[in-house]
Amino acid sequence: MSAASGAQIEGANSERLFAKIMRLCAAVVLVNVALLAPWWVLSGGFSPPWLALEAVAIVALFASLPPKPWVRFGALAVSMMIIASTILGFGEAALRLSLGRSLNLYSDIWLLSSVRHLLWGSLGPVLAAAVMVLVAMGLLVVTAALAWLLTSLRIDHRVLSGRLSALGLITFLALGTIAERSPMLGPVLDVPTFRLVRVQASGLADI
């Protein structure tokens, strides 16, 4: 009887571990798509790069963190940064496609008021306000869902968790270092968030 109970417990643990691994894979895919979708829009298709190294590092980090209350706040902050990077990336793509230049957040902030006036003029004040509220609520829901996903990534097995974290961070650093020097990996890998921050920082320095 005890052997059967042990087998059931081991089977349940294996199922939970498999579910965690599948959740890890889903998290990598979702974060990767969120960070690289603006580039795919700009390039007009599903073209390289295909892997954002930040996605690997973020998922590996949250998979190894302990179940502490501060992890939830960290996941929420990281989720907000991911969504903000996606929004800025789409703004970058829109300006490149329409005006042929990069986004400068510090000088192009006035475009937000132009978008608001355009919505008000085309949809009317009531419908435009409803659209903006719906968009804001959608962003909040996506941010909360992404934060929940990140907080649920921790694997109970300490050895596997530590190895996963080490593998993710080593992969991030190693591939990021050799990506620019490798003709094979360079086009496939990218660090879109770091690149976006660097472009905005250079834009601030030019002001």
Side-chain angles (χ1 to χ4, degrees):
M1 191 69 176
S2 59
S5 300
Q8 290 179 354
I9 294 175
E10 184 178 356
N13 290 335
S14 299
E15 291 179 359
R16 284 196 294 268
L17 180 59
F18 178 76
K20 285 284 188 179
I21 293 176
M22 294 302 296
R23 195 174 294 173
L24 287 171
C25 296
V28 171
V29 171
L30 289 176
V31 176
N32 187 70
V33 169
L35 295 178
L36 289 179
W39 165 258
W40 293 332
V41 171
L42 179 61
S43 61
F46 187 65
S47 59
W50 293 318
L51 178 62
L53 296 179
E54 296 98 331
V56 179
I58 289 171
V59 172
L61 175 63
F62 279 95
S64 63
L65 291 177
K68 300 293 184 180
W70 58 266
V71 175
R72 298 180 180 178
F73 295 100
L76 182 60
V78 171
S79 300
M80 294 173 64
M81 288 189 290
I82 292 172
I83 299 302
S85 176
T86 303
I87 295 174
L88 292 178
F90 278 118
E92 171 85 5
L95 281 181
R96 284 184 177 273
L97 291 174
S98 60
L99 301 179
R101 65 175 180 84
S102 298
L103 172 69
N104 189 325
L105 186 60
Y106 311 99
S107 60
D108 292 335
I109 192 67
W110 58 270
L111 290 176
L112 292 177
S113 61
S114 299
V115 172
R116 181 175 62 86
H117 290 311
L118 179 62
L119 287 175
W120 280 48
S122 58
L123 301 178
V126 176
L127 188 56
V131 169
M132 288 187 288
V133 169
L134 289 176
V135 170
M137 291 178 61
L139 291 176
L140 289 176
V141 170
V142 172
T143 302
L146 185 57
W148 173 84
L149 180 61
L150 292 177
T151 55
S152 65
L153 293 179
R154 181 179 180 271
I155 296 179
D156 297 333
H157 297 66
R158 295 183 179 180
V159 176
L160 180 58
S161 178
R163 289 177 180 176
L164 181 66
S165 175
L167 178 62
L169 294 178
I170 291 173
T171 302
F172 175 77
L173 295 175
L175 294 182
T177 301
I178 66 176
E180 295 183 354
R181 303 178 183 179
S182 173
M184 295 181 61
L185 293 179
V188 177
L189 304 177
D190 195 13
V191 282
T193 303
F194 290 166
R195 176 165 44 81
L196 185 61
V197 170
R198 185 171 64 246
V199 169
Q200 296 306 314
S202 63
L204 178 62
D206 294 338
I207 295 179

